[in-house]
Amino acid sequence: MEYIGWVKKAAMAAVSSLTRVTARPSVTRLLSVWARRASGGGRKAPFTPTEASSRTLELLGKSYPLDAHSNVRETILAKVGRSLHNQRQHPLWLIKERVKDHFFRQYRNRPRTPLFSVYDDLCPVVTTQQNFDSLLIPTDHPCRKRDDNYYINRTHMLRSHTSAHQSDLIHAGLDAFLVVGDVYRRDSIDSLHYPVFHQLEGVRLFSGHELFANIQDGGDLQLFEQSCRTAHKQETHTMEAVKLVEFDLKQTLSKLITHLFGDRLEIRWVDCYFPFTHPSFEMEINFQGKWIEVLGCGVMEQQLLNSAGASEKIGWAFGLGLERLAMILYNIPDIRLFWSENEEFLEQFRVPDINENIQFQPLSKYPPLINDISFWLPSGTFTVNDFYDLVRTIGEEIVEKVDLIDQYEHPKTRKVSHCYRIVYRHREKMLTKEEVARVHEAIQKAAVQVLGVEGRF
């Protein structure tokens, strides 16, 4: 079977599934014709919509009703349960194990047991309360938008960050833990972005006794006060407590990054904003002459801790992307490679020592094939992430990058057109012009029939 045939068959079935989820009957009937022409192919997704009504989703052993808010695609759900970070000798597993090993060695309880517990198999399906409300994210915050997330229904979604588990774990009585898992976001298409990636989250809480134990004459120091919120602290925290927590946080993360990259690495801290920490920071590293952001962190909002039953403690939290670290550390140029099942790729990471220095050797240097697509935007709502999602669904792993290269507004009709440049390149084989032309044509047709645009092809 031609590779392109496999892609098209899998993609058409996936697009048909999407339209069932979004409940647009006319489009469903239209695209079901594409699905009927395909006999299958590709990885089987871990869900089966109820045959009778197509209004229920079975995922990881649980059933979820679908509604008008549902927008998750079968090609995305096909990756749920893959858990790349738990596949031995996978580059993401190596990074996770290196971070775990560092924390286990550096931070110990008095009985010489690890201070940080690790949770790397928590279910990626969470409630919107877990993903947003528990982290104090306002109901009108842009990060809640349907355009940016994968919703199963109005109350359940694929987590967009591992922070979704913070409140539950703190409420369970944990003071120090790491959470590792796959997270899902609708995003742009290029070598650094993918709709599924992996995060590692860390949390550390302190009682007053723990925080001030090594401070000379620190018996009178307090964690809390009632004052005004400033750029440097929350209204309920004392400046002494915040500065000690901030110092411990930055020292902990500097040691981690030094452990991974070596002690000659240049690090800088940049002030930033997160709804669930204040003050908040991003760490940037100077890698090959460029400053690259590798993680975000900060002092946890006290209201979050109070709601989770830890009102007598203060703490810090951080989150980092495993793909970003692995791409820098192992010199992996394209985020799509993490999903490769090519033995030539995976074999490079089968090493006896997780700390071994590995430099990725490219699988191919095949040239890209580039096609443009232009269309008039529909009179109704159009979001670019809908288009990116459609391109990913049909093109799957052969789409390397999509750029908006031109916008035009007609002076009389005021209609707006977009022109996108799609870069096609397979990481493991040469694509032919005929193969790419068929995929590109399928994208054009789907853009018209699913998104309602008017073609200018």
Short mmCIF file of all heavy atoms in Angstrom, two decimals, residues 33-94:
data_model
loop_
_atom_site.label_atom_id
_atom_site.label_comp_id
_atom_site.label_asym_id
_atom_site.label_seq_id
_atom_site.Cartn_x
_atom_site.Cartn_y
_atom_site.Cartn_z
N VAL A 33 -18.77 9.88 3.41
CA VAL A 33 -18.48 9.29 2.11
C VAL A 33 -16.99 9.00 1.98
O VAL A 33 -16.57 7.94 1.50
CB VAL A 33 -18.94 10.23 0.97
CG1 VAL A 33 -18.51 9.69 -0.39
CG2 VAL A 33 -20.44 10.43 1.04
N TRP A 34 -16.16 9.95 2.43
CA TRP A 34 -14.71 9.74 2.42
C TRP A 34 -14.35 8.53 3.28
O TRP A 34 -13.52 7.72 2.93
CB TRP A 34 -13.99 10.98 2.95
CG TRP A 34 -14.06 12.17 2.05
CD1 TRP A 34 -14.69 12.25 0.85
CD2 TRP A 34 -13.50 13.44 2.30
NE1 TRP A 34 -14.55 13.49 0.32
CE2 TRP A 34 -13.83 14.26 1.20
CE3 TRP A 34 -12.77 13.99 3.35
CZ2 TRP A 34 -13.43 15.58 1.10
CZ3 TRP A 34 -12.37 15.31 3.26
CH2 TRP A 34 -12.70 16.10 2.16
N ALA A 35 -14.98 8.46 4.45
CA ALA A 35 -14.66 7.36 5.37
C ALA A 35 -15.05 6.01 4.77
O ALA A 35 -14.33 5.03 4.92
CB ALA A 35 -15.38 7.57 6.70
N ARG A 36 -16.21 5.96 4.09
CA ARG A 36 -16.65 4.69 3.50
C ARG A 36 -15.70 4.23 2.40
O ARG A 36 -15.54 3.04 2.17
CB ARG A 36 -18.07 4.84 2.95
CG ARG A 36 -19.15 4.82 4.03
CD ARG A 36 -20.51 4.56 3.41
NE ARG A 36 -20.89 5.61 2.46
CZ ARG A 36 -21.54 6.72 2.81
NH1 ARG A 36 -21.84 6.94 4.07
NH2 ARG A 36 -21.87 7.61 1.88
N ARG A 37 -15.07 5.18 1.73
CA ARG A 37 -14.14 4.80 0.67
C ARG A 37 -12.85 4.20 1.24
O ARG A 37 -12.09 3.57 0.50
CB ARG A 37 -13.78 6.04 -0.16
CG ARG A 37 -14.95 6.54 -1.01
CD ARG A 37 -14.59 7.83 -1.70
NE ARG A 37 -15.70 8.34 -2.50
CZ ARG A 37 -15.70 9.54 -3.07
NH1 ARG A 37 -14.66 10.34 -2.93
NH2 ARG A 37 -16.74 9.95 -3.76
N ALA A 38 -12.61 4.44 2.49
CA ALA A 38 -11.39 3.92 3.13
C ALA A 38 -11.71 2.65 3.88
O ALA A 38 -12.73 2.55 4.53
CB ALA A 38 -10.83 4.97 4.09
N SER A 39 -10.85 1.70 3.77
CA SER A 39 -11.06 0.43 4.47
C SER A 39 -10.34 0.36 5.79
O SER A 39 -10.35 -0.66 6.46
CB SER A 39 -10.57 -0.72 3.58
OG SER A 39 -9.20 -0.57 3.28
N GLY A 40 -9.67 1.44 6.19
CA GLY A 40 -8.96 1.45 7.47
C GLY A 40 -7.52 1.84 7.26
O GLY A 40 -7.14 2.39 6.25
N GLY A 41 -6.68 1.45 8.26
CA GLY A 41 -5.25 1.75 8.20
C GLY A 41 -4.85 2.65 9.32
O GLY A 41 -5.64 3.43 9.84
N GLY A 42 -3.58 2.54 9.72
CA GLY A 42 -3.07 3.38 10.79
C GLY A 42 -3.36 2.79 12.15
O GLY A 42 -3.97 1.74 12.29
N ARG A 43 -2.90 3.49 13.18
CA ARG A 43 -3.07 3.04 14.56
C ARG A 43 -4.53 3.16 14.98
O ARG A 43 -5.18 4.17 14.75
CB ARG A 43 -2.20 3.89 15.48
CG ARG A 43 -2.35 3.57 16.94
CD ARG A 43 -1.43 4.44 17.76
NE ARG A 43 -0.05 4.16 17.42
CZ ARG A 43 0.66 3.19 17.97
NH1 ARG A 43 0.10 2.39 18.86
NH2 ARG A 43 1.91 3.00 17.63
N LYS A 44 -5.04 2.15 15.64
CA LYS A 44 -6.42 2.19 16.12
C LYS A 44 -6.51 3.12 17.32
O LYS A 44 -5.73 3.05 18.25
CB LYS A 44 -6.89 0.78 16.51
CG LYS A 44 -8.33 0.76 17.02
CD LYS A 44 -8.76 -0.66 17.31
CE LYS A 44 -10.13 -0.69 17.95
NZ LYS A 44 -11.15 -0.08 17.12
N ALA A 45 -7.48 4.02 17.29
CA ALA A 45 -7.66 4.94 18.40
C ALA A 45 -8.24 4.23 19.60
O ALA A 45 -9.00 3.27 19.45
CB ALA A 45 -8.61 6.09 17.98
N PRO A 46 -7.92 4.68 20.83
CA PRO A 46 -8.40 4.00 22.03
C PRO A 46 -9.80 4.43 22.42
O PRO A 46 -10.09 4.59 23.59
CB PRO A 46 -7.37 4.44 23.08
CG PRO A 46 -6.99 5.81 22.67
CD PRO A 46 -7.03 5.80 21.16
N PHE A 47 -10.69 4.68 21.46
CA PHE A 47 -12.06 5.01 21.79
C PHE A 47 -12.97 4.54 20.68
O PHE A 47 -12.56 4.38 19.54
CB PHE A 47 -12.22 6.52 22.00
CG PHE A 47 -12.34 7.29 20.72
CD1 PHE A 47 -13.58 7.72 20.28
CD2 PHE A 47 -11.23 7.56 19.95
CE1 PHE A 47 -13.70 8.43 19.10
CE2 PHE A 47 -11.35 8.27 18.77
CZ PHE A 47 -12.59 8.71 18.35
N THR A 48 -14.22 4.31 21.02
CA THR A 48 -15.23 3.93 20.03
C THR A 48 -16.52 4.67 20.33
O THR A 48 -17.18 4.41 21.32
CB THR A 48 -15.52 2.42 20.08
OG1 THR A 48 -15.82 2.05 21.43
CG2 THR A 48 -14.32 1.63 19.60
N PRO A 49 -16.90 5.67 19.51
CA PRO A 49 -18.16 6.36 19.74
C PRO A 49 -19.31 5.35 19.68
O PRO A 49 -19.30 4.43 18.88
CB PRO A 49 -18.23 7.36 18.59
CG PRO A 49 -16.81 7.54 18.15
CD PRO A 49 -16.16 6.21 18.38
N THR A 50 -20.28 5.52 20.53
CA THR A 50 -21.43 4.62 20.55
C THR A 50 -22.09 4.59 19.17
O THR A 50 -22.40 5.62 18.59
CB THR A 50 -22.46 5.11 21.60
OG1 THR A 50 -21.80 5.14 22.85
CG2 THR A 50 -23.65 4.18 21.66
N GLU A 51 -22.25 3.39 18.63
CA GLU A 51 -22.72 3.26 17.25
C GLU A 51 -24.11 3.85 17.05
O GLU A 51 -24.39 4.46 16.03
CB GLU A 51 -22.72 1.78 16.86
CG GLU A 51 -21.34 1.15 16.83
CD GLU A 51 -20.46 1.77 15.76
OE1 GLU A 51 -21.02 2.23 14.75
OE2 GLU A 51 -19.24 1.80 15.93
N ALA A 52 -24.98 3.67 18.01
CA ALA A 52 -26.38 4.07 17.81
C ALA A 52 -26.54 5.57 17.64
O ALA A 52 -27.25 6.03 16.76
CB ALA A 52 -27.23 3.58 18.98
N SER A 53 -25.86 6.35 18.47
CA SER A 53 -26.10 7.79 18.46
C SER A 53 -24.87 8.63 18.20
O SER A 53 -24.98 9.80 17.90
CB SER A 53 -26.69 8.22 19.80
OG SER A 53 -25.75 7.97 20.84
N SER A 54 -23.68 8.04 18.29
CA SER A 54 -22.41 8.77 18.15
C SER A 54 -22.34 9.93 19.12
O SER A 54 -21.74 10.96 18.83
CB SER A 54 -22.23 9.27 16.71
OG SER A 54 -22.10 8.20 15.82
N ARG A 55 -22.94 9.76 20.29
CA ARG A 55 -22.95 10.85 21.27
C ARG A 55 -22.26 10.47 22.57
O ARG A 55 -22.38 11.16 23.55
CB ARG A 55 -24.39 11.28 21.57
CG ARG A 55 -25.17 11.74 20.36
CD ARG A 55 -24.51 12.90 19.67
NE ARG A 55 -24.44 14.09 20.50
CZ ARG A 55 -23.71 15.16 20.23
NH1 ARG A 55 -22.95 15.17 19.16
NH2 ARG A 55 -23.72 16.20 21.03
N THR A 56 -21.55 9.36 22.57
CA THR A 56 -20.82 8.94 23.76
C THR A 56 -19.41 8.54 23.37
O THR A 56 -19.20 7.92 22.34
CB THR A 56 -21.52 7.76 24.45
OG1 THR A 56 -22.85 8.14 24.78
CG2 THR A 56 -20.78 7.35 25.72
N LEU A 57 -18.46 8.91 24.19
CA LEU A 57 -17.07 8.58 23.94
C LEU A 57 -16.56 7.62 25.00
O LEU A 57 -16.69 7.89 26.19
CB LEU A 57 -16.23 9.86 23.97
CG LEU A 57 -14.73 9.72 23.71
CD1 LEU A 57 -14.47 9.34 22.27
CD2 LEU A 57 -14.02 11.02 24.04
N GLU A 58 -16.04 6.48 24.56
CA GLU A 58 -15.41 5.53 25.47
C GLU A 58 -13.91 5.76 25.43
O GLU A 58 -13.28 5.61 24.38
CB GLU A 58 -15.73 4.09 25.06
CG GLU A 58 -17.21 3.75 25.03
CD GLU A 58 -17.85 3.78 26.41
OE1 GLU A 58 -17.12 3.53 27.39
OE2 GLU A 58 -19.05 4.05 26.50
N LEU A 59 -13.33 6.14 26.55
CA LEU A 59 -11.92 6.49 26.59
C LEU A 59 -11.29 6.00 27.88
O LEU A 59 -11.76 6.34 28.97
CB LEU A 59 -11.75 8.01 26.45
CG LEU A 59 -10.33 8.57 26.45
CD1 LEU A 59 -9.54 8.01 25.27
CD2 LEU A 59 -10.34 10.08 26.42
N LEU A 60 -10.26 5.18 27.76
CA LEU A 60 -9.52 4.66 28.91
C LEU A 60 -10.44 4.02 29.93
O LEU A 60 -10.29 4.21 31.15
CB LEU A 60 -8.69 5.78 29.56
CG LEU A 60 -7.62 6.43 28.66
CD1 LEU A 60 -6.93 7.56 29.39
CD2 LEU A 60 -6.62 5.40 28.17
N GLY A 61 -11.43 3.28 29.44
CA GLY A 61 -12.31 2.53 30.32
C GLY A 61 -13.46 3.31 30.90
O GLY A 61 -14.23 2.77 31.70
N LYS A 62 -13.63 4.57 30.53
CA LYS A 62 -14.74 5.37 31.03
C LYS A 62 -15.56 5.92 29.88
O LYS A 62 -15.07 6.06 28.76
CB LYS A 62 -14.22 6.52 31.91
CG LYS A 62 -13.59 6.05 33.21
CD LYS A 62 -13.25 7.23 34.11
CE LYS A 62 -12.67 6.78 35.44
NZ LYS A 62 -12.35 7.92 36.34
N SER A 63 -16.82 6.23 30.17
CA SER A 63 -17.74 6.73 29.16
C SER A 63 -18.03 8.20 29.42
O SER A 63 -18.34 8.59 30.56
CB SER A 63 -19.04 5.93 29.18
OG SER A 63 -19.95 6.41 28.22
N TYR A 64 -17.95 9.01 28.35
CA TYR A 64 -18.19 10.45 28.48
C TYR A 64 -19.24 10.88 27.46
O TYR A 64 -19.10 10.58 26.26
CB TYR A 64 -16.90 11.23 28.24
CG TYR A 64 -15.78 10.89 29.19
CD1 TYR A 64 -14.85 9.91 28.86
CD2 TYR A 64 -15.66 11.54 30.42
CE1 TYR A 64 -13.82 9.59 29.72
CE2 TYR A 64 -14.64 11.23 31.29
CZ TYR A 64 -13.72 10.25 30.95
OH TYR A 64 -12.70 9.93 31.80
N PRO A 65 -20.27 11.59 27.89
CA PRO A 65 -21.25 12.11 26.92
C PRO A 65 -20.63 13.25 26.12
O PRO A 65 -19.86 14.06 26.66
CB PRO A 65 -22.39 12.60 27.81
CG PRO A 65 -21.74 12.92 29.12
CD PRO A 65 -20.62 11.94 29.28
N LEU A 66 -20.94 13.31 24.85
CA LEU A 66 -20.46 14.39 24.00
C LEU A 66 -21.51 15.49 23.92
O LEU A 66 -22.70 15.23 24.08
CB LEU A 66 -20.14 13.85 22.60
CG LEU A 66 -19.11 12.72 22.54
CD1 LEU A 66 -18.92 12.26 21.10
CD2 LEU A 66 -17.80 13.14 23.16
N ASP A 67 -21.07 16.70 23.69
CA ASP A 67 -22.00 17.82 23.56
C ASP A 67 -21.43 18.82 22.57
O ASP A 67 -20.44 18.55 21.89
CB ASP A 67 -22.30 18.46 24.92
CG ASP A 67 -21.04 18.96 25.63
OD1 ASP A 67 -20.06 19.32 24.94
OD2 ASP A 67 -21.02 18.99 26.88
N ALA A 68 -22.06 19.97 22.48
CA ALA A 68 -21.65 20.98 21.50
C ALA A 68 -20.26 21.52 21.76
O ALA A 68 -19.64 22.14 20.88
CB ALA A 68 -22.66 22.12 21.48
N HIS A 69 -19.73 21.30 22.97
CA HIS A 69 -18.40 21.80 23.32
C HIS A 69 -17.30 20.83 22.89
O HIS A 69 -16.13 21.19 22.89
CB HIS A 69 -18.33 22.04 24.83
CG HIS A 69 -17.48 23.20 25.22
ND1 HIS A 69 -17.76 24.50 24.87
CD2 HIS A 69 -16.31 23.26 25.93
CE1 HIS A 69 -16.84 25.31 25.35
NE2 HIS A 69 -15.95 24.58 25.99
N SER A 70 -17.66 19.61 22.53
CA SER A 70 -16.68 18.58 22.20
C SER A 70 -15.92 18.96 20.93
O SER A 70 -16.53 19.32 19.93
CB SER A 70 -17.38 17.24 21.99
OG SER A 70 -18.20 16.91 23.10
N ASN A 71 -14.61 18.87 20.98
CA ASN A 71 -13.82 19.20 19.78
C ASN A 71 -12.58 18.33 19.64
O ASN A 71 -11.71 18.63 18.81
CB ASN A 71 -13.40 20.69 19.80
CG ASN A 71 -12.39 20.98 20.90
OD1 ASN A 71 -12.18 20.18 21.81
ND2 ASN A 71 -11.74 22.14 20.83
N VAL A 72 -12.48 17.26 20.40
CA VAL A 72 -11.30 16.41 20.33
C VAL A 72 -11.39 15.49 19.11
O VAL A 72 -12.46 14.96 18.80
CB VAL A 72 -11.12 15.60 21.63
CG1 VAL A 72 -12.25 14.63 21.84
CG2 VAL A 72 -9.77 14.90 21.65
N ARG A 73 -10.28 15.33 18.43
CA ARG A 73 -10.26 14.54 17.19
C ARG A 73 -9.70 13.15 17.45
O ARG A 73 -8.92 12.92 18.36
CB ARG A 73 -9.41 15.24 16.14
CG ARG A 73 -9.95 16.59 15.73
CD ARG A 73 -9.19 17.16 14.56
NE ARG A 73 -9.71 18.45 14.18
CZ ARG A 73 -9.93 18.83 12.92
NH1 ARG A 73 -9.70 17.99 11.94
NH2 ARG A 73 -10.40 20.03 12.65
N GLU A 74 -10.09 12.24 16.58
CA GLU A 74 -9.65 10.86 16.73
C GLU A 74 -8.14 10.74 16.62
O GLU A 74 -7.52 9.92 17.28
CB GLU A 74 -10.33 9.98 15.67
CG GLU A 74 -10.05 8.50 15.87
CD GLU A 74 -10.94 7.63 15.01
OE1 GLU A 74 -11.93 8.14 14.47
OE2 GLU A 74 -10.62 6.43 14.88
N THR A 75 -7.52 11.56 15.77
CA THR A 75 -6.07 11.49 15.65
C THR A 75 -5.37 11.91 16.94
O THR A 75 -4.27 11.44 17.24
CB THR A 75 -5.57 12.40 14.50
OG1 THR A 75 -6.18 13.68 14.63
CG2 THR A 75 -5.91 11.79 13.16
N ILE A 76 -6.00 12.78 17.71
CA ILE A 76 -5.45 13.16 19.01
C ILE A 76 -5.71 12.05 20.02
O ILE A 76 -4.81 11.63 20.77
CB ILE A 76 -6.07 14.48 19.50
CG1 ILE A 76 -5.70 15.62 18.54
CG2 ILE A 76 -5.60 14.80 20.92
CD1 ILE A 76 -4.23 15.87 18.39
N LEU A 77 -6.93 11.54 20.06
CA LEU A 77 -7.27 10.48 21.00
C LEU A 77 -6.45 9.22 20.74
O LEU A 77 -6.22 8.42 21.66
CB LEU A 77 -8.76 10.17 20.92
CG LEU A 77 -9.67 11.29 21.46
CD1 LEU A 77 -11.11 11.02 21.11
CD2 LEU A 77 -9.49 11.46 22.95
N ALA A 78 -6.00 9.03 19.51
CA ALA A 78 -5.17 7.87 19.20
C ALA A 78 -3.86 7.89 19.96
O ALA A 78 -3.20 6.87 20.11
CB ALA A 78 -4.91 7.81 17.70
N LYS A 79 -3.47 9.06 20.46
CA LYS A 79 -2.21 9.17 21.19
C LYS A 79 -2.39 9.07 22.70
O LYS A 79 -1.41 8.96 23.45
CB LYS A 79 -1.51 10.48 20.82
CG LYS A 79 -1.21 10.58 19.33
CD LYS A 79 -0.40 11.79 18.98
CE LYS A 79 -0.21 11.93 17.47
NZ LYS A 79 0.42 10.76 16.85
N VAL A 80 -3.65 9.12 23.15
CA VAL A 80 -3.92 8.96 24.58
C VAL A 80 -3.58 7.53 25.00
O VAL A 80 -4.02 6.57 24.37
CB VAL A 80 -5.40 9.27 24.90
CG1 VAL A 80 -5.68 9.03 26.38
CG2 VAL A 80 -5.73 10.71 24.51
N GLY A 81 -2.82 7.40 26.04
CA GLY A 81 -2.42 6.08 26.50
C GLY A 81 -1.07 5.64 25.97
O GLY A 81 -0.55 4.62 26.41
N ARG A 82 -0.49 6.38 25.03
CA ARG A 82 0.83 6.01 24.53
C ARG A 82 1.90 6.19 25.61
O ARG A 82 2.85 5.41 25.69
CB ARG A 82 1.19 6.86 23.31
CG ARG A 82 0.37 6.57 22.05
CD ARG A 82 0.79 5.32 21.31
NE ARG A 82 2.18 5.39 20.86
CZ ARG A 82 2.58 6.00 19.74
NH1 ARG A 82 1.68 6.58 18.96
NH2 ARG A 82 3.85 5.99 19.39
N SER A 83 1.76 7.26 26.42
CA SER A 83 2.66 7.49 27.56
C SER A 83 4.12 7.32 27.18
O SER A 83 4.83 6.46 27.71
CB SER A 83 2.30 6.56 28.72
OG SER A 83 0.98 6.77 29.16
N LEU A 84 4.60 8.13 26.26
CA LEU A 84 5.98 8.03 25.81
C LEU A 84 6.97 8.16 26.95
O LEU A 84 8.05 7.56 26.92
CB LEU A 84 6.26 9.10 24.75
CG LEU A 84 5.42 9.07 23.47
CD1 LEU A 84 5.88 10.16 22.52
CD2 LEU A 84 5.48 7.72 22.79
N HIS A 85 6.60 8.94 27.97
CA HIS A 85 7.52 9.16 29.09
C HIS A 85 7.70 7.92 29.95
O HIS A 85 8.59 7.89 30.80
CB HIS A 85 7.00 10.31 29.96
CG HIS A 85 5.64 10.07 30.54
ND1 HIS A 85 4.49 10.10 29.78
CD2 HIS A 85 5.24 9.80 31.80
CE1 HIS A 85 3.45 9.85 30.55
NE2 HIS A 85 3.88 9.66 31.78
N ASN A 86 6.86 6.90 29.73
CA ASN A 86 6.98 5.64 30.48
C ASN A 86 7.50 4.48 29.63
O ASN A 86 7.55 3.35 30.10
CB ASN A 86 5.64 5.26 31.11
CG ASN A 86 5.29 6.15 32.29
OD1 ASN A 86 6.17 6.70 32.94
ND2 ASN A 86 4.01 6.32 32.56
N GLN A 87 7.86 4.76 28.37
CA GLN A 87 8.41 3.73 27.50
C GLN A 87 9.92 3.69 27.67
O GLN A 87 10.63 4.64 27.33
CB GLN A 87 8.04 4.00 26.04
CG GLN A 87 6.56 3.91 25.75
CD GLN A 87 6.23 4.12 24.28
OE1 GLN A 87 7.11 4.08 23.42
NE2 GLN A 87 4.96 4.37 24.00
N ARG A 88 10.41 2.59 28.23
CA ARG A 88 11.83 2.47 28.54
C ARG A 88 12.69 2.75 27.31
O ARG A 88 12.38 2.32 26.21
CB ARG A 88 12.15 1.08 29.10
CG ARG A 88 11.57 0.83 30.49
CD ARG A 88 12.01 -0.52 31.03
NE ARG A 88 13.46 -0.57 31.19
CZ ARG A 88 14.12 -0.11 32.24
NH1 ARG A 88 13.46 0.46 33.23
NH2 ARG A 88 15.44 -0.20 32.31
N GLN A 89 13.77 3.49 27.56
CA GLN A 89 14.76 3.85 26.54
C GLN A 89 14.25 4.85 25.51
O GLN A 89 14.98 5.18 24.57
CB GLN A 89 15.30 2.61 25.83
CG GLN A 89 15.84 1.53 26.75
CD GLN A 89 16.91 2.05 27.71
OE1 GLN A 89 16.85 1.83 28.90
NE2 GLN A 89 17.89 2.73 27.18
N HIS A 90 13.04 5.36 25.69
CA HIS A 90 12.59 6.47 24.85
C HIS A 90 13.29 7.72 25.35
O HIS A 90 13.55 7.87 26.55
CB HIS A 90 11.07 6.62 24.96
CG HIS A 90 10.49 7.55 23.95
ND1 HIS A 90 10.51 8.92 24.12
CD2 HIS A 90 9.88 7.33 22.75
CE1 HIS A 90 9.92 9.50 23.08
NE2 HIS A 90 9.53 8.55 22.23
N PRO A 91 13.63 8.69 24.48
CA PRO A 91 14.32 9.89 24.95
C PRO A 91 13.57 10.65 26.03
O PRO A 91 14.19 11.22 26.94
CB PRO A 91 14.50 10.74 23.68
CG PRO A 91 13.60 10.13 22.66
CD PRO A 91 13.50 8.68 23.01
N LEU A 92 12.23 10.67 25.98
CA LEU A 92 11.47 11.34 27.04
C LEU A 92 11.55 10.55 28.35
O LEU A 92 11.56 11.15 29.43
CB LEU A 92 10.01 11.52 26.61
CG LEU A 92 9.79 12.40 25.37
CD1 LEU A 92 8.31 12.53 25.08
CD2 LEU A 92 10.42 13.78 25.56
N TRP A 93 11.61 9.24 28.26
CA TRP A 93 11.80 8.41 29.46
C TRP A 93 13.17 8.68 30.06
O TRP A 93 13.30 8.79 31.29
CB TRP A 93 11.66 6.94 29.10
CG TRP A 93 11.89 5.99 30.25
CD1 TRP A 93 10.98 5.58 31.17
CD2 TRP A 93 13.12 5.33 30.57
NE1 TRP A 93 11.58 4.71 32.08
CE2 TRP A 93 12.88 4.54 31.72
CE3 TRP A 93 14.40 5.33 30.02
CZ2 TRP A 93 13.89 3.77 32.32
CZ3 TRP A 93 15.40 4.57 30.61
CH2 TRP A 93 15.14 3.80 31.74
N LEU A 94 14.19 8.81 29.23
CA LEU A 94 15.53 9.09 29.74
C LEU A 94 15.57 10.41 30.50
O LEU A 94 16.15 10.50 31.58
CB LEU A 94 16.53 9.13 28.57
CG LEU A 94 16.87 7.80 27.90
CD1 LEU A 94 17.78 8.04 26.70
CD2 LEU A 94 17.51 6.83 28.88
#
